[in-house]
Amino acid sequence: MNLNTYTVSRSSKTARIAAILSAVVLIILIAAPWWAGRADMRLMGELFLYLALATLWNLMAGYAGLVSVGQQAYVGFGGYMLFALTMFAGLHPIAAILAAGLLGALASIPVAVLIFRLRGAYFAIGTWVIAEVFRLGFAQVSALGGGSGSSLPVAIVKSLASKRAMRGSLSYWLALGAAVVVIAAVYAFLRSRKGLALTAIRDNELAASSLGIDIWRTKFTVYVVTSALTAMVGALIFLQKLRISPDAAFSVNDWTAFVIFIVVIGGIGTIEGPIIGTLVFFALRETLADLGTTYLIVLGVVAIVIMLRAPRGIWGVIRNRFDLQLFPLGYRVNASNKDNGT
């Protein structure tokens, strides 16, 4: 007689295979300085940093419901803190990146207290206004170049490594490390009790509140942690660029619009979505960049088509069709047949 037995687990065969393949890919990427050219490493480094930004924005908007169009505030803040701490405080660039994250968290606390009074579209507009305040504020700091910006001194650049090739490899490894750390941190957070509370808030805020979940505190925690990590990524971005200006540091187009595009086409509210969206975005950018403004029009058309035809993004379509889950967050019920011998 055959009986069905059921097991409940978070993992799956697909997730285990994905973990093994991810480890192999990560090893290959770590070895990139030995097989990739300088231009390829710069491109991949930029891709990793955009992936980190997209994953962080997705945590805020896709899980906490905090749709911000002002995360460029912390990208620029982190970049300027890198320049200030290395030029005036004498910190090593890597130490300055870590300090920029801490300062970004501290700066986000009063901002969160202020903008959390807003809801919906007003919250989104409020985050953009805060970013503009940051931009105008740093434009007044003459020690950092004012409105025209500043370049990182050669001595600070060489403190990373004496040879240019080694500096390029180190910048690449830092960008790769940032993407891996951000994805791993978000995954670990979403599997924790806090992550479960966040998922409940995303699905039904009223029901989550009735179960005793502190919605304000949970969202506040997500906002502060996301801001800190975004500031660190911003510091890495401008460590690669070696020059900063208010318009570049607080560009809503570069650090928010493109990031939202990545998350929307990949699949908001999933860990896999930003990964797929980043790959698609860079494929389109490298293919169509020579077309000028037509490139931006194509990006807009792609975003509109995806939102109309696949509101859950590319990964949403793949997941629903093939029942895949590369980053297992929820529990799955697995059935198996066993013969009891009767």
Side-chain angles (χ1 to χ4, degrees), residues 8 13 85 122 141 161 168 174 193 198 231 252 262 287 301 305 316:
V8 179
K13 183 178 180 180
L85 292 171
Y122 296 104
V141 182
L174 287 172
R193 292 175 61 89
L198 191 62
V252 65
I262 287 170
T287 304
V301 171
V305 171

Side-chain angles (χ1 to χ4, degrees), residues 58-113:
N58 180 55
L59 177 64
M60 284 184 54
Y63 288 94
L66 301 172
V67 182
S68 169
V69 294
Q71 285 306 97
Q72 69 272 17
Y74 299 103
V75 174
F77 180 86
Y80 268 104
M81 288 302 99
L82 169 74
F83 275 62
L85 292 171
T86 54
M87 292 168 61
F88 306 130
L91 290 184
H92 188 276
I94 295 179
I97 290 170
L98 298 175
L102 177 60
L103 293 173
L106 294 175
S108 70
I109 292 174
V111 172
V113 172

Side-chain angles (χ1 to χ4, degrees), residues 32-46 163-172 240:
W34 289 276
W35 57 262
R38 184 181 300 166
D40 295 328
M41 285 200 300
R42 286 188 65 85
L43 178 62
M44 287 190 292
E46 186 181 2
K163 295 183 179 180
R164 183 177 180 182
M166 189 59 199
R167 290 196 298 271
S169 298
L170 182 57
S171 295
Y172 168 82
Q240 284 193 348

